[in-house]
Amino acid sequence: MDNSTRALPFILVGAFAILLLGGIALSLSSAPPFVEQQLRDAAHTTISASGFALKDTNSVTVLRQSQTKQAVGTVVFLVLYQAPASVQETELEPNGATASVILIGDRRFRKSGSSWIELPPGAGLGARAVTTIMAPLQGAVNATHVTRRGDRYTFVPRDLDKLLTTVLAVDPSRLSSPRLTAVVRGGTLTRETITAIVTNQRLEVDLVFSAIGSAPPVTAPRSSTSATPPASGPTPH
């Protein structure tokens, strides 16, 4: 009796089992590591929130050969973001004064003293401001080479040069020792720090996110005057 035809189904089953296991192995090898996925998910949750508050601290420190560090200056910005394209930003100046702007879609306002002035609209200003604010978070969404220690993650964004240019406003070719870290708590990215060295200075941008999904809305000032652009006419000689 010829058993070759009876053996064929078993051979096929064996072949399909090998293919199936191979497919599983491939999917596992191409999936991001667990800590990488944790960071990506947390950053995506923060980006997808209806709004958040952000404290943005920018500092420059001089690095001396004696290994001592001397702070050159620090600037702090307080930002309130509301999806999809509304931003309120306040700069805390070293002398205690503040400077504030509000962008709501194409509308923009600037605080002058105790009153607000509505400036001529700018197409896409609010959306562009949000894109800049989201750039560090987007870098974490596209994170690679992620390591974790406690709730702190160290990572490399997929497009490191683009992120450094956006955040530090310095040509990446002039920078050395870039380092990006993020803190994840409660499933959201709550802090991100970006540092790099240019010449003998250490640049640092420290971003602290709070009220994620529960921040107050960004609203137009109740009373504001309009800044009317000057009328066009002949140029005086």
Side-chain angles (χ1 to χ4, degrees):
M1 182 177 180
D2 186 1
N3 291 327
S4 60
T5 56
R6 295 180 57 191
L8 184 60
F10 296 99
I11 294 172
L12 289 176
V13 169
F16 278 120
I18 292 172
L19 291 174
L20 178 61
L21 291 174
I24 293 174
L26 178 62
S27 65
L28 289 175
S29 64
S30 61
F34 180 63
V35 292
E36 186 174 299
Q37 193 63 56
Q38 280 184 319
L39 176 59
R40 289 181 177 185
D41 290 347
H44 186 267
T45 298
T46 301
I47 284 179
S48 303
S50 59
F52 53 69
L54 167 63
K55 183 178 181 181
D56 174 4
T57 304
N58 298 254
S59 60
V60 179
T61 304
V62 173
L63 304 176
R64 300 192 178 278
Q65 293 182 350
S66 60
Q67 303 301 317
T68 60
K69 298 179 181 180
Q70 178 182 351
V72 174
T74 300
V75 180
V76 177
F77 298 91
L78 302 179
V79 179
L80 194 61
Y81 156 71
Q82 179 186 357
S86 297
V87 176
Q88 180 172 339
E89 180 181 297
T90 300
E91 179 182 354
L92 306 181
E93 299 178 0
N95 61 3
T98 61
S100 300
V101 296
I102 293 177
L103 301 175
I104 301 176
D106 296 341
R107 299 180 70 189
R108 54 178 177 161
F109 305 84
R110 183 185 71 233
K111 194 170 187 180
S112 177
S114 59
S115 60
W116 286 89
I117 297 174
E118 182 166 7
L119 303 173
L125 276 179
R128 290 199 296 273
V130 170
T131 297
T132 301
I133 291 170
M134 295 298 185
L137 290 169
Q138 193 62 53
V141 168
N142 297 318
T144 62
H145 302 91
V146 181
T147 59
R148 174 185 174 185
R149 186 171 183 178
D151 58 7
R152 187 175 299 275
Y153 296 71
T154 301
F155 68 97
V156 177
R158 185 172 299 164
D159 194 338
L160 176 61
D161 284 355
K162 181 179 179 181
L163 179 56
L164 293 176
T165 301
T166 301
V167 176
L168 301 179
V170 177
D171 189 324
S173 64
R174 298 178 55 206
L175 298 171
S176 63
S177 306
R179 187 169 187 266
L180 293 89
T181 63
V183 174
V184 173
R185 290 177 181 164
T188 60
L189 191 155
T190 59
R191 187 169 194 163
E192 188 168 346
T193 304
I194 302 168
T195 62
I197 295 174
V198 55
T199 315
N200 67 330
Q201 295 181 334
R202 180 177 182 269
L203 311 180
E204 178 176 297
V205 174
D206 186 44
L207 308 168
V208 178
F209 301 89
S210 60
I212 299 170
S214 60
V218 177
T219 57
R222 290 186 178 180
S223 60
S224 60
T225 58
S226 297
T228 306
S232 59
T235 303
H237 297 283

